[in-house]
Amino acid sequence: MWNSADMAFALEPFLSSGAALAISAHGSEALKDKYLPNINAGVWSGTMNLTESGAGSDLGPMKTRAERHGDHYRIFGQKIYITWGDHDATENIIHLVLARLPDAPQGSKGISLFVVPKFLVNDDGSLGDRNDAYPVSVEHKLGIHGSPTCVMAYGDQDGAIGYLVGQENNGLACMFTMMNEARLKVGLQGLGASEGAYQKAVAYARERVQGGVAIIEHADVKRMLMSMRALNEAMRALAYIESLTMDLSHGAPAQERGAWKARLDLMIPVIKGWMTEVGQEVTSVGVQIHGGMGYVEETGAAQFFRDVRITSIYEGTNGIQAADLVGRKLARDGGATMELVHDEIRQVADALAGSSDDRLAAMGRALSDALAAHVMSSQTILELFKVDKSAAMSVSFDYMMQTGYLFGGWHLAASSLVAIDLLSRDEKTLFCQRKIATTEFYLHRLMPRGSAHADAILSPLSQLDDYAVEWL
Ligand SMILES: Cc1cc2nc3c(=O)[nH]c(=O)nc-3n(C[C@H](O)[C@H](O)[C@H](O)COP(=O)(O)OP(=O)(O)OC[C@H]3O[C@@H](n4cnc5c(N)ncnc54)[C@H](O)[C@@H]3O)c2cc1C
């Protein structure tokens, strides 16, 4: 709901909760007592400082440094693109900053994590001196204009005072424990912007008259609205069901947690990558439905499109998500976790395909065909990965997209099985009819896009090496 209302504004609690999670997972009791109550209450906000001009997707070359100074550290360096880096909406800002100690090992294994408050906090909880942590510029961006994205300078005077979170040189590992939460949330931004775009587009299409009728009556406009709605429902089903997987990975009986975590790890790059790619399409279609009014700013349709563009870039670009899906999540266990998911999808497809209702049976067959194509893609990539990792990476984006279209169809189909059951008992009749019709549209009109990605994966052109870099 927040992301549908204003993604830029929603980023402030997003980043604050990320900072709070990092402190609560890895901070000392003293750090937790001092910082968590006010961050959790929304009195203070938080930021995450990873990126530097020379360190983006690869954080290894990071230059920001930390020096030991009694019971604390002094931080020196510059971070770029820091979301909600500075503002006066909260009384204090708690920066979480990655930096390198002088004797740290090279690369990503030598990075430590620090709490660096904008205002130092006294022992009684009151605010003290201004810390040496300042914004030196605000980025001018394509979208999310309500979010101040800052270049932050630490220690330009005598060093910004920072407090270690977790162990020295273990900062990246501390950050990565929150990675699944953060990536799920960015996937939800894709959905939130898409839902906002849909609500605006459907309202406009009911009112705007062309050719003597409201444009919603024109087949092509209806196609666009149904596509938006079906993609949104598929994304929502995927994200919500797998949020439960996240809860179970933390809260299931100890002996079951590993299996839930493996499944969650597999889902996260698909949720982040596919949902943010789809978000760009859905918000763009929202502009299209408004015609010229979509391209001018008054309607707000363009804002969803501009805002959502960042979601495929930050929190690990979608290229990094695709590489993670293929290189770690699929290949690491030889496809075992993916096979378990395939089994679940097969059960849903079989349940629909076995229906005496022709419509439902056809939906089951569509899901079954998409599953068979995905099994083939998974096996092809696993084989490719063994002999030529670069070739496997050249089709990783196609695989992520094919996986997303399949997973969306699977969860929608599973929702429809619930709807069929409720309908048989005359419950929630309209909602359930609409759910089944939306699923049917998705399975027959949108999920087949996965076949094009499968063809690309199977094509002999997976080796991009034949095309010289100089030719680009
Ligand atoms: C509005 C905004 C807000 C941001 N907020 C924050 C924030 O709060 N905190 C923070 O620390 N950072 C933040 N960032 C930074 C963001 O996380 C980075 O921009 C992002 O990680 C990409 O890094 P980069 O820009 O250096 O791109 P690069 O890493 O240079 O990537 C450029 C291109 O190369 C590709 N690429 C790079 N390496 C590989 C690889 N190994 N395999 C395949 N492809 C690769 C990428 O996919 C991309 O297409 C923000 C950025 C923006 C624009």
Side-chain angles (χ1 to χ4, degrees), residues 230-231 233-235 237-238 407-417 435 438-439 442-443:
L231 287 166
E233 288 194 20
M235 287 193 279
L238 173 62
F407 284 6
W410 157 41
H411 283 307
L412 269 185
S415 310
S416 279
L417 286 174
K435 179 64 73 183
T438 309
T439 305
Y442 180 93
L443 293 178

Side-chain angles (χ1 to χ4, degrees), residues 11 15 46-59 62 79-85 96 98 139 141-144 147-150 175 183 307 310-323 393 396:
L11 272 165
L15 269 296
T47 69
M48 308 292 267
N49 294 241
L50 292 80
T51 309
E52 298 178 8
S53 57
S57 298
D58 177 12
L59 293 168
M62 179 176 294
K79 297 285 179 179
I80 61 172
Y81 307 137
I82 302 310
T83 297
W84 283 86
L96 285 190
L98 287 179
E139 310 287 6
K141 308 187 294 292
L142 174 68
I144 53 168
S147 166
T149 309
C150 301
M175 280 283 185
R183 291 183 173 175
D307 285 356
I310 184 59
T311 59
S312 63
I313 297 173
Y314 60 24
E315 204 47 55
T317 64
N318 283 359
I320 299 293
Q321 303 304 318
M393 289 306 151
S396 56

Side-chain angles (χ1 to χ4, degrees), residues 62-81:
M62 179 176 294
K63 287 209 172 71
T64 298
R65 62 193 170 83
E67 290 175 5
R68 296 180 187 91
H69 217 270
D71 67 344
H72 59 266
Y73 295 76
R74 296 235 174 208
I75 314 290
F76 302 87
Q78 204 172 77
K79 297 285 179 179
I80 61 172
Y81 307 137

Side-chain angles (χ1 to χ4, degrees), residues 21 180-181 184-185 188 238-254 256-265 267-268 271:
L21 272 176
N180 279 343
E181 273 88 350
L184 172 76
K185 282 194 216 161
L188 288 172
L238 173 62
Y240 284 13
I241 295 288
E242 301 307 336
S243 297
L244 175 62
T245 303
M246 181 175 283
D247 287 351
L248 290 166
S249 76
H250 296 304
E256 292 170 20
R257 271 179 222 162
W260 289 114
K261 176 74 169 46
R263 172 178 165 137
L264 176 70
D265 287 346
M267 294 295 161
I268 287 297
I271 290 174

